Amino acid sequence: MDFSLTEEQAAIREMAEAFAQDEVAPQAIEWDQAKHFPVDVLRNAMVLGLGGIMVSDAHGGSGLGRIEAVLVYEALAKGCPAFSAYLSIHNMVASMIDKHGSEVQKSAYLPRLCTGELLASYCLTEPSCGSDAAALTTRAERDGDDYLLTGQKMFISGAGATDLYVVMARTGGPGAKGVSAFLVEKEAAGLSFGANEKKMGWNAQPTRTVMLDKVRVKADAMLGPEGAGFKLAMEALDGGRTSIAACSLGGAQSALDKAITYTNERKAFGQKLNEFQALQFALAEMAIDLEVSRTFLWRAAAALDAKLPEATQLCAMAKKHVTDAGFDVANRALQLHGGYGYLADYGIEKIVRDLRVHQILEGTNEIMRLIVARTVIAQA
Ligand SMILES: Cc1cc2nc3c(=O)[nH]c(=O)nc-3n(C[C@H](O)[C@H](O)[C@H](O)COP(=O)(O)OP(=O)(O)OC[C@H]3O[C@@H](n4cnc5c(N)ncnc54)[C@H](O)[C@@H]3O)c2cc1C
Protein backbone atom coordinates (compact mmCIF):
# COMPACT_ATOMS: atom_id res chain seq x y z
CA MET A 1 0.00 0.00 0.00
CA ASP A 2 2.08 2.96 -1.21
CA PHE A 3 -0.76 5.39 -1.98
CA SER A 4 0.86 6.34 -5.27
CA LEU A 5 -1.11 6.75 -8.48
CA THR A 6 -0.59 4.51 -11.48
CA GLU A 7 0.83 6.12 -14.63
CA GLU A 8 -2.66 6.09 -16.15
CA GLN A 9 -4.21 7.75 -13.07
CA ALA A 10 -1.50 10.42 -13.03
CA ALA A 11 -2.09 11.07 -16.74
CA ILE A 12 -5.86 11.38 -16.24
CA ARG A 13 -5.33 13.85 -13.41
CA GLU A 14 -2.86 15.86 -15.49
CA MET A 15 -5.28 15.98 -18.41
CA ALA A 16 -8.13 17.22 -16.17
CA GLU A 17 -5.84 19.78 -14.50
CA ALA A 18 -4.74 21.13 -17.87
CA PHE A 19 -8.36 21.38 -18.99
CA ALA A 20 -9.30 23.18 -15.76
CA GLN A 21 -6.43 25.61 -16.16
CA ASP A 22 -7.06 26.36 -19.84
CA GLU A 23 -10.83 26.20 -20.22
CA VAL A 24 -12.41 26.54 -16.78
CA ALA A 25 -10.40 28.76 -14.42
CA PRO A 26 -10.07 31.76 -16.77
CA GLN A 27 -13.88 32.05 -17.03
CA ALA A 28 -14.98 30.94 -13.57
CA ILE A 29 -15.52 34.39 -12.06
CA GLU A 30 -17.43 35.56 -15.14
CA TRP A 31 -19.70 32.48 -15.05
CA ASP A 32 -20.40 33.09 -11.38
CA GLN A 33 -21.27 36.72 -11.89
CA ALA A 34 -23.35 36.17 -15.00
CA LYS A 35 -24.97 33.03 -13.54
CA HIS A 36 -23.92 31.29 -16.73
CA PHE A 37 -24.17 27.52 -17.19
CA PRO A 38 -21.23 26.75 -19.50
CA VAL A 39 -22.75 23.92 -21.50
CA ASP A 40 -20.23 24.36 -24.32
CA VAL A 41 -17.26 23.90 -21.96
CA LEU A 42 -18.97 20.96 -20.26
CA ARG A 43 -19.28 19.34 -23.68
CA ASN A 44 -15.60 20.01 -24.37
CA ALA A 45 -14.82 18.12 -21.16
CA MET A 46 -17.06 15.29 -22.30
CA VAL A 47 -15.17 15.03 -25.59
CA LEU A 48 -12.19 14.09 -23.40
CA GLY A 49 -14.17 11.19 -21.93
CA LEU A 50 -15.42 12.98 -18.82
CA GLY A 51 -19.16 12.65 -19.62
CA GLY A 52 -19.26 8.99 -18.63
CA ILE A 53 -16.16 8.51 -16.52
CA MET A 54 -17.36 5.26 -14.98
CA VAL A 55 -19.70 4.20 -17.77
CA SER A 56 -18.61 1.00 -19.54
CA ASP A 57 -16.73 1.53 -22.80
CA ALA A 58 -19.27 -0.64 -24.61
CA HIS A 59 -21.75 2.21 -24.14
CA GLY A 60 -19.41 5.07 -24.97
CA GLY A 61 -17.99 5.65 -21.50
CA SER A 62 -14.43 5.73 -20.22
CA GLY A 63 -14.82 2.59 -18.08
CA LEU A 64 -12.77 4.04 -15.23
CA GLY A 65 -13.18 3.61 -11.48
CA ARG A 66 -14.08 5.79 -8.54
CA ILE A 67 -10.47 6.73 -7.78
CA GLU A 68 -10.05 8.15 -11.29
CA ALA A 69 -13.39 9.97 -10.90
CA VAL A 70 -12.33 11.73 -7.69
CA LEU A 71 -9.02 12.69 -9.30
CA VAL A 72 -10.92 14.28 -12.19
CA TYR A 73 -13.42 16.15 -9.97
CA GLU A 74 -10.67 17.48 -7.71
CA ALA A 75 -8.69 18.66 -10.73
CA LEU A 76 -11.67 20.35 -12.42
CA ALA A 77 -12.79 21.97 -9.14
CA LYS A 78 -9.45 23.77 -9.00
CA GLY A 79 -10.85 25.72 -11.93
CA CYS A 80 -14.45 26.01 -10.68
CA PRO A 81 -16.13 23.84 -8.03
CA ALA A 82 -19.63 24.49 -9.42
CA PHE A 83 -18.57 23.34 -12.91
CA SER A 84 -16.99 20.17 -11.57
CA ALA A 85 -19.94 19.45 -9.26
CA TYR A 86 -22.48 19.62 -12.09
CA LEU A 87 -20.32 17.28 -14.18
CA SER A 88 -20.28 14.88 -11.22
CA ILE A 89 -24.10 14.88 -11.02
CA HIS A 90 -24.37 14.23 -14.77
CA ASN A 91 -21.93 11.33 -14.36
CA MET A 92 -23.90 10.02 -11.37
CA VAL A 93 -27.04 9.71 -13.50
CA ALA A 94 -25.12 8.14 -16.39
CA SER A 95 -23.64 5.57 -14.01
CA MET A 96 -27.10 4.76 -12.60
CA ILE A 97 -28.27 3.95 -16.13
CA ASP A 98 -25.11 1.99 -16.91
CA LYS A 99 -25.56 -0.09 -13.78
CA HIS A 100 -29.31 -0.57 -13.65
CA GLY A 101 -30.70 0.32 -17.07
CA SER A 102 -32.21 -2.12 -19.57
CA GLU A 103 -30.27 -2.65 -22.78
CA VAL A 104 -32.79 -0.38 -24.54
CA GLN A 105 -32.28 2.41 -21.97
CA LYS A 106 -28.51 2.03 -22.14
CA SER A 107 -28.34 2.28 -25.91
CA ALA A 108 -30.93 5.06 -26.03
CA TYR A 109 -29.17 7.32 -23.52
CA LEU A 110 -25.62 6.37 -22.60
CA PRO A 111 -23.75 7.20 -25.83
CA ARG A 112 -25.44 10.62 -25.91
CA LEU A 113 -24.86 11.26 -22.20
CA CYS A 114 -21.19 10.41 -22.62
CA THR A 115 -20.69 12.92 -25.43
CA GLY A 116 -22.80 15.59 -23.76
CA GLU A 117 -25.44 15.60 -26.46
CA LEU A 118 -27.73 14.96 -23.50
CA LEU A 119 -27.24 16.43 -20.03
CA ALA A 120 -28.76 14.83 -16.96
CA SER A 121 -30.30 15.76 -13.60
CA TYR A 122 -31.01 13.77 -10.44
CA CYS A 123 -34.40 14.40 -8.82
CA LEU A 124 -34.85 13.14 -5.29
CA THR A 125 -35.43 16.14 -2.99
CA GLU A 126 -38.95 17.58 -2.63
CA PRO A 127 -40.17 20.84 -1.08
CA SER A 128 -41.34 19.05 2.07
CA CYS A 129 -38.56 16.47 2.40
CA GLY A 130 -34.83 16.54 1.81
CA SER A 131 -32.98 14.64 4.52
CA ASP A 132 -35.96 12.37 5.04
CA ALA A 133 -36.03 11.48 1.36
CA ALA A 134 -37.84 8.18 1.91
CA ALA A 135 -40.92 10.25 2.81
CA LEU A 136 -41.17 11.60 -0.76
CA THR A 137 -44.69 12.12 -2.08
CA THR A 138 -44.27 12.40 -5.87
CA ARG A 139 -46.53 9.66 -7.19
CA ALA A 140 -46.27 7.43 -10.23
CA GLU A 141 -49.70 5.94 -10.99
CA ARG A 142 -50.02 3.03 -13.38
CA ASP A 143 -52.24 3.84 -16.38
CA GLY A 144 -52.36 0.92 -18.83
CA ASP A 145 -48.88 0.55 -20.33
CA ASP A 146 -47.80 3.89 -18.88
CA TYR A 147 -47.15 5.66 -15.61
CA LEU A 148 -48.39 9.15 -14.78
CA LEU A 149 -45.96 11.08 -12.56
CA THR A 150 -47.27 13.90 -10.38
CA GLY A 151 -45.39 15.93 -7.77
CA GLN A 152 -42.57 18.44 -7.28
CA LYS A 153 -38.84 18.07 -7.02
CA MET A 154 -36.93 20.89 -5.36
CA PHE A 155 -33.35 22.20 -5.75
CA ILE A 156 -32.65 20.21 -8.90
CA SER A 157 -29.17 20.91 -10.28
CA GLY A 158 -29.10 21.67 -13.97
CA ALA A 159 -32.91 21.56 -14.24
CA GLY A 160 -34.41 23.41 -17.14
CA ALA A 161 -31.14 23.25 -19.07
CA THR A 162 -30.77 19.47 -18.95
CA ASP A 163 -32.41 16.84 -21.12
CA LEU A 164 -32.87 13.73 -19.01
CA TYR A 165 -34.25 13.50 -15.46
CA VAL A 166 -34.00 10.51 -13.18
CA VAL A 167 -37.04 10.98 -10.96
CA MET A 168 -37.66 9.04 -7.77
CA ALA A 169 -41.43 8.59 -7.34
CA ARG A 170 -43.78 6.51 -5.22
CA THR A 171 -45.31 3.47 -6.94
CA GLY A 172 -46.18 1.65 -3.73
CA GLY A 173 -46.88 2.25 -0.04
CA PRO A 174 -45.06 4.52 2.39
CA GLY A 175 -41.34 4.26 3.07
CA ALA A 176 -38.27 3.47 1.00
CA LYS A 177 -39.62 0.25 -0.54
CA GLY A 178 -42.53 2.09 -2.19
CA VAL A 179 -40.20 4.19 -4.36
CA SER A 180 -39.24 3.52 -8.00
CA ALA A 181 -36.94 5.46 -10.33
CA PHE A 182 -38.00 6.75 -13.76
CA LEU A 183 -36.19 8.26 -16.72
CA VAL A 184 -38.08 11.34 -17.88
CA GLU A 185 -37.16 13.31 -20.98
CA LYS A 186 -37.32 17.09 -20.96
CA GLU A 187 -39.93 17.19 -23.72
CA ALA A 188 -42.43 15.04 -21.77
CA ALA A 189 -45.84 16.74 -21.63
CA GLY A 190 -46.64 17.98 -18.11
CA LEU A 191 -42.99 18.57 -17.14
CA SER A 192 -42.14 22.18 -16.27
CA PHE A 193 -39.54 24.12 -14.33
CA GLY A 194 -39.46 26.89 -11.74
CA ALA A 195 -37.27 29.97 -11.89
CA ASN A 196 -33.51 29.66 -11.52
CA GLU A 197 -33.00 29.97 -7.75
CA LYS A 198 -30.95 32.92 -6.51
CA LYS A 199 -28.16 31.28 -4.56
CA MET A 200 -25.15 32.05 -2.36
CA GLY A 201 -22.85 30.13 -4.73
CA TRP A 202 -22.88 27.41 -7.38
CA ASN A 203 -23.94 30.11 -9.82
CA ALA A 204 -22.31 28.38 -12.77
CA GLN A 205 -25.17 25.88 -12.78
CA PRO A 206 -28.92 26.45 -12.54
CA THR A 207 -31.01 25.11 -9.67
CA ARG A 208 -34.74 24.84 -10.28
CA THR A 209 -37.91 23.19 -9.04
CA VAL A 210 -39.12 20.44 -11.37
CA MET A 211 -42.89 20.24 -11.60
CA LEU A 212 -44.56 17.04 -12.77
CA ASP A 213 -48.22 17.25 -13.68
CA LYS A 214 -49.41 13.83 -14.85
CA VAL A 215 -46.23 13.35 -16.86
CA ARG A 216 -46.86 10.28 -18.98
CA VAL A 217 -43.96 7.87 -19.41
CA LYS A 218 -43.96 4.33 -20.78
CA ALA A 219 -43.65 1.59 -18.17
CA ASP A 220 -40.25 0.78 -19.67
CA ALA A 221 -39.00 4.20 -18.53
CA MET A 222 -38.65 2.67 -15.06
CA LEU A 223 -34.99 2.36 -14.11
CA GLY A 224 -34.34 -0.91 -12.29
CA PRO A 225 -37.11 -2.98 -10.74
CA GLU A 226 -40.28 -1.57 -9.21
CA GLY A 227 -39.69 -0.61 -5.57
CA ALA A 228 -35.90 -0.39 -6.01
CA GLY A 229 -35.77 3.36 -6.70
CA PHE A 230 -34.75 4.46 -3.24
CA LYS A 231 -32.00 1.85 -3.06
CA LEU A 232 -30.67 2.98 -6.46
CA ALA A 233 -30.81 6.61 -5.39
CA MET A 234 -28.88 5.94 -2.17
CA GLU A 235 -26.32 3.73 -3.87
CA ALA A 236 -25.69 6.52 -6.40
CA LEU A 237 -25.21 8.96 -3.54
CA ASP A 238 -22.43 6.86 -2.00
CA GLY A 239 -20.37 7.66 -5.07
CA GLY A 240 -21.84 11.16 -5.36
CA ARG A 241 -20.56 11.93 -1.88
CA THR A 242 -17.00 11.11 -2.85
CA SER A 243 -17.44 13.34 -5.91
CA ILE A 244 -18.72 16.30 -3.92
CA ALA A 245 -15.91 15.80 -1.42
CA ALA A 246 -13.44 15.85 -4.34
CA CYS A 247 -14.96 19.12 -5.54
CA SER A 248 -14.40 20.61 -2.07
CA LEU A 249 -10.84 19.38 -2.11
CA GLY A 250 -10.09 20.96 -5.49
CA GLY A 251 -11.70 24.27 -4.58
CA ALA A 252 -9.87 24.40 -1.26
CA GLN A 253 -6.54 23.44 -2.85
CA SER A 254 -6.94 26.27 -5.31
CA ALA A 255 -7.72 28.68 -2.43
CA LEU A 256 -4.63 27.46 -0.55
CA ASP A 257 -2.47 27.84 -3.67
CA LYS A 258 -3.70 31.42 -4.03
CA ALA A 259 -2.92 32.08 -0.34
CA ILE A 260 0.60 30.66 -0.72
CA THR A 261 1.26 32.98 -3.68
CA TYR A 262 -0.35 35.98 -2.00
CA THR A 263 1.50 35.66 1.32
CA ASN A 264 4.76 35.45 -0.64
CA GLU A 265 4.04 38.80 -2.33
CA ARG A 266 2.17 40.92 0.19
CA LYS A 267 4.20 42.80 2.80
CA ALA A 268 3.21 44.11 6.22
CA PHE A 269 5.37 45.53 9.02
CA GLY A 270 8.41 45.48 6.68
CA GLN A 271 8.32 41.81 5.74
CA LYS A 272 6.49 39.36 3.55
CA LEU A 273 3.39 37.85 5.13
CA ASN A 274 4.90 34.38 4.82
CA GLU A 275 7.81 35.43 7.02
CA PHE A 276 5.48 35.64 10.05
CA GLN A 277 5.63 32.27 11.75
CA ALA A 278 1.95 32.45 12.72
CA LEU A 279 1.05 32.65 9.03
CA GLN A 280 3.55 29.94 8.08
CA PHE A 281 1.80 27.70 10.62
CA ALA A 282 -1.58 28.69 9.17
CA LEU A 283 -0.42 27.58 5.69
CA ALA A 284 1.01 24.38 7.14
CA GLU A 285 -2.26 23.56 8.95
CA MET A 286 -4.22 24.11 5.75
CA ALA A 287 -1.87 21.88 3.75
CA ILE A 288 -2.13 19.17 6.43
CA ASP A 289 -5.95 19.35 6.50
CA LEU A 290 -6.13 18.93 2.73
CA GLU A 291 -3.63 16.09 2.56
CA VAL A 292 -5.47 14.21 5.32
CA SER A 293 -8.73 14.80 3.43
CA ARG A 294 -7.24 13.62 0.13
CA THR A 295 -5.76 10.46 1.58
CA PHE A 296 -9.01 9.57 3.33
CA LEU A 297 -11.10 10.37 0.26
CA TRP A 298 -8.99 7.97 -1.80
CA ARG A 299 -9.60 5.31 0.88
CA ALA A 300 -13.38 5.78 0.63
CA ALA A 301 -13.22 5.75 -3.18
CA ALA A 302 -11.12 2.57 -3.16
CA ALA A 303 -13.62 0.93 -0.77
CA LEU A 304 -16.43 1.70 -3.22
CA ASP A 305 -14.45 0.31 -6.15
CA ALA A 306 -13.73 -2.83 -4.12
CA LYS A 307 -17.42 -3.03 -3.04
CA LEU A 308 -16.37 -3.36 0.61
CA PRO A 309 -19.24 -3.66 3.10
CA GLU A 310 -18.00 -0.57 4.96
CA ALA A 311 -18.00 1.57 1.78
CA THR A 312 -21.22 3.47 2.58
CA GLN A 313 -19.93 4.42 6.00
CA LEU A 314 -16.52 5.46 4.63
CA CYS A 315 -18.18 7.59 1.92
CA ALA A 316 -20.32 9.33 4.55
CA MET A 317 -17.25 9.90 6.73
CA ALA A 318 -15.30 11.28 3.77
CA LYS A 319 -18.14 13.54 2.64
CA LYS A 320 -18.49 15.05 6.11
CA HIS A 321 -14.78 15.35 6.81
CA VAL A 322 -13.59 16.63 3.44
CA THR A 323 -16.41 19.12 2.81
CA ASP A 324 -16.01 20.59 6.32
CA ALA A 325 -12.23 20.78 5.96
CA GLY A 326 -12.50 22.17 2.42
CA PHE A 327 -14.83 24.98 3.45
CA ASP A 328 -12.70 25.79 6.45
CA VAL A 329 -9.45 25.90 4.45
CA ALA A 330 -11.02 28.12 1.77
CA ASN A 331 -12.32 30.47 4.46
CA ARG A 332 -8.87 30.64 6.11
CA ALA A 333 -7.32 31.34 2.70
CA LEU A 334 -9.74 34.26 2.36
CA GLN A 335 -8.61 35.58 5.75
CA LEU A 336 -4.96 35.44 4.65
CA HIS A 337 -5.85 37.75 1.76
CA GLY A 338 -7.14 40.41 4.17
CA GLY A 339 -9.60 42.79 2.52
CA TYR A 340 -8.59 41.61 -0.96
CA GLY A 341 -9.98 38.16 -0.18
CA TYR A 342 -13.40 39.76 0.05
CA LEU A 343 -13.16 41.19 -3.48
CA ALA A 344 -14.61 39.11 -6.32
CA ASP A 345 -11.60 39.63 -8.62
CA TYR A 346 -9.32 37.58 -6.36
CA GLY A 347 -11.51 34.50 -6.86
CA ILE A 348 -11.37 33.46 -3.19
CA GLU A 349 -14.79 34.60 -2.01
CA LYS A 350 -16.37 32.67 -4.88
CA ILE A 351 -14.66 29.47 -3.77
CA VAL A 352 -15.90 29.98 -0.19
CA ARG A 353 -19.45 30.56 -1.47
CA ASP A 354 -19.29 27.55 -3.80
CA LEU A 355 -17.95 25.17 -1.13
CA ARG A 356 -20.52 26.09 1.50
CA VAL A 357 -23.28 24.10 -0.17
CA HIS A 358 -21.20 20.92 -0.21
CA GLN A 359 -21.85 20.70 3.54
CA ILE A 360 -25.59 20.65 2.76
CA LEU A 361 -26.31 18.68 -0.39
CA GLU A 362 -26.04 15.00 -1.31
CA GLY A 363 -27.01 14.47 2.33
CA THR A 364 -26.23 17.14 4.92
CA ASN A 365 -23.22 16.66 7.14
CA GLU A 366 -25.63 15.96 10.02
CA ILE A 367 -27.08 13.08 7.99
CA MET A 368 -23.50 11.87 7.35
CA ARG A 369 -23.03 11.71 11.13
CA LEU A 370 -26.34 9.85 11.39
CA ILE A 371 -25.13 7.19 8.89
CA VAL A 372 -21.85 6.78 10.75
CA ALA A 373 -23.54 6.76 14.16
CA ARG A 374 -25.96 4.03 13.08
CA THR A 375 -23.07 1.82 12.02
CA VAL A 376 -20.88 2.39 15.06
CA ILE A 377 -23.79 1.91 17.47
CA ALA A 378 -24.84 -1.29 15.68
CA GLN A 379 -21.33 -2.63 16.31
CA ALA A 380 -21.74 -2.21 20.11
C1 LIG B 1 -27.68 24.30 -4.61
C2 LIG B 1 -28.36 23.01 -4.30
C3 LIG B 1 -28.38 21.99 -5.25
C4 LIG B 1 -29.04 20.79 -4.99
N1 LIG B 1 -29.10 19.83 -5.97
C5 LIG B 1 -29.92 18.75 -5.79
C6 LIG B 1 -30.17 17.84 -6.87
O1 LIG B 1 -29.63 17.98 -7.97
N2 LIG B 1 -31.03 16.81 -6.67
C7 LIG B 1 -31.67 16.61 -5.47
O2 LIG B 1 -32.43 15.65 -5.36
N3 LIG B 1 -31.45 17.46 -4.42
C8 LIG B 1 -30.60 18.52 -4.56
N4 LIG B 1 -30.39 19.40 -3.52
C9 LIG B 1 -31.12 19.20 -2.26
C10 LIG B 1 -30.23 18.81 -1.09
O3 LIG B 1 -29.78 17.50 -1.25
C11 LIG B 1 -31.07 19.02 0.19
O4 LIG B 1 -31.21 20.42 0.36
C12 LIG B 1 -30.44 18.37 1.39
O5 LIG B 1 -30.49 16.98 1.31
C13 LIG B 1 -31.11 18.82 2.70
O6 LIG B 1 -32.50 18.72 2.64
P1 LIG B 1 -33.41 19.96 3.10
O7 LIG B 1 -32.89 21.16 2.41
O8 LIG B 1 -34.82 19.58 2.88
O9 LIG B 1 -33.11 20.14 4.64
P2 LIG B 1 -33.86 19.40 5.85
O10 LIG B 1 -33.89 17.94 5.59
O11 LIG B 1 -35.14 20.08 6.10
O12 LIG B 1 -32.86 19.70 7.04
C14 LIG B 1 -32.79 20.94 7.73
C15 LIG B 1 -31.71 20.83 8.80
O13 LIG B 1 -32.05 19.80 9.74
C16 LIG B 1 -31.02 18.84 9.82
N5 LIG B 1 -31.59 17.51 10.03
C17 LIG B 1 -32.64 16.94 9.36
N6 LIG B 1 -32.88 15.72 9.83
C18 LIG B 1 -31.98 15.51 10.83
C19 LIG B 1 -31.72 14.42 11.73
N7 LIG B 1 -32.43 13.28 11.67
N8 LIG B 1 -30.74 14.57 12.64
C20 LIG B 1 -30.01 15.70 12.70
N9 LIG B 1 -30.20 16.75 11.87
C21 LIG B 1 -31.16 16.66 10.94
C22 LIG B 1 -30.30 18.93 8.48
O14 LIG B 1 -28.99 18.44 8.56
C23 LIG B 1 -30.35 20.42 8.23
O15 LIG B 1 -29.31 21.06 8.94
C24 LIG B 1 -29.67 20.58 -3.73
C25 LIG B 1 -29.62 21.58 -2.76
C26 LIG B 1 -28.98 22.79 -3.02
C27 LIG B 1 -28.95 23.86 -1.97
Side-chain angles (χ1 to χ4, degrees):
M1 198 191 294
D2 65 1
F3 295 98
S4 56
L5 300 178
T6 63
E7 263 180 41
E8 189 195 12
Q9 289 167 337
I12 290 165
R13 176 158 79 173
E14 252 173 56
M15 179 267 289
E17 276 177 350
F19 184 85
Q21 205 179 335
D22 297 343
E23 295 209 37
V24 180
Q27 309 187 73
I29 295 176
E30 204 181 307
W31 294 339
D32 177 65
Q33 290 177 352
K35 298 188 179 11
H36 173 68
F37 187 41
V39 171
D40 51 342
V41 184
L42 280 164
R43 291 205 171 109
N44 292 346
M46 294 184 192
V47 168
L48 299 175
L50 306 183
I53 298 173
M54 296 181 64
V55 170
S56 50
D57 27 17
H59 291 102
S62 297
L64 297 168
R66 184 58 56 187
I67 293 274
E68 289 79 14
V70 297
L71 293 173
V72 166
Y73 300 134
E74 179 186 351
L76 293 179
K78 287 185 185 167
C80 174
F83 176 92
S84 186
Y86 170 72
L87 191 76
S88 81
I89 294 169
H90 170 88
N91 269 274
M92 179 166 76
V93 174
S95 288
M96 286 174 83
I97 299 172
D98 189 45
K99 211 160 168 196
H100 300 286
S102 63
E103 272 313 312
V104 175
Q105 289 169 338
K106 288 185 195 181
S107 31
Y109 297 121
L110 286 177
R112 291 189 291 157
L113 285 168
C114 292
T115 58
E117 185 187 334
L118 298 181
L119 298 178
S121 290
Y122 172 94
C123 310
L124 179 65
T125 307
E126 298 187 353
S128 59
C129 61
S131 300
D132 185 12
L136 63 84
T137 60
T138 296
R139 284 216 65 91
E141 301 286 354
R142 189 81 200 213
D143 184 41
D145 285 343
D146 303 337
Y147 279 95
L148 294 175
L149 274 62
T150 301
Q152 270 193 32
K153 295 291 174 180
M154 178 89 194
F155 293 123
I156 304 308
S157 301
T162 50
D163 312 281
L164 186 66
Y165 297 79
V166 58
V167 177
M168 271 50 79
R170 193 162 296 287
T171 46
K177 293 201 169 113
V179 176
S180 302
F182 293 88
L183 294 171
V184 180
E185 295 181 4
K186 187 183 187 181
E187 294 73 27
L191 188 71
S192 61
F193 306 98
N196 189 7
E197 303 286 356
K198 299 185 184 87
K199 309 190 290 282
M200 174 180 179
W202 263 35
N203 289 319
Q205 52 164 303
T207 307
R208 292 190 171 91
T209 300
V210 174
M211 276 94 72
L212 301 115
D213 181 13
K214 294 195 180 133
V215 173
R216 184 175 292 278
V217 294
K218 292 274 169 224
D220 63 9
M222 187 182 281
L223 182 64
E226 182 171 347
F230 192 75
K231 193 164 163 274
L232 261 64
M234 292 302 114
E235 178 193 277
L237 282 181
D238 279 344
R241 285 167 186 158
T242 63
S243 309
I244 286 299
C247 292
S248 285
L249 197 53
Q253 185 64 56
S254 157
L256 173 58
D257 293 345
K258 287 179 198 292
I260 291 168
T261 305
Y262 187 76
T263 53
N264 190 40
E265 289 164 356
R266 178 82 173 169
K267 286 188 175 162
F269 300 95
Q271 58 183 18
K272 286 185 190 176
L273 292 181
N274 69 6
E275 287 164 356
F276 293 106
Q277 196 178 47
L279 302 193
Q280 291 172 359
F281 276 25
L283 293 172
E285 292 282 353
M286 291 155 76
I288 293 165
D289 287 352
L290 292 189
E291 200 49 50
V292 169
S293 295
R294 184 172 294 110
T295 306
F296 184 57
L297 178 60
W298 290 4
R299 163 137 162 72
L304 256 193
D305 274 342
K307 300 187 174 57
L308 299 185
E310 64 270 36
T312 293
Q313 184 189 359
L314 288 170
C315 291
M317 285 177 171
K319 196 273 183 182
K320 187 253 164 223
H321 182 81
V322 181
T323 60
D324 281 353
F327 177 75
D328 200 38
V329 165
N331 202 26
R332 280 183 273 162
L334 188 155
Q335 186 72 15
L336 286 173
H337 281 72
Y340 296 95
Y342 204 67
L343 303 184
D345 285 350
Y346 283 73
I348 292 270
E349 60 85 40
K350 175 203 177 289
I351 296 174
V352 175
R353 287 187 288 105
D354 279 350
L355 296 200
R356 182 63 182 86
V357 79
H358 299 183
Q359 295 169 297
I360 296 170
L361 46 69
E362 304 222 358
T364 67
N365 284 2
E366 288 74 31
I367 296 304
M368 297 306 102
R369 290 179 181 89
L370 207 75
I371 294 170
V372 176
R374 262 192 218 128
T375 324
V376 296
I377 291 166
Q379 284 162 358

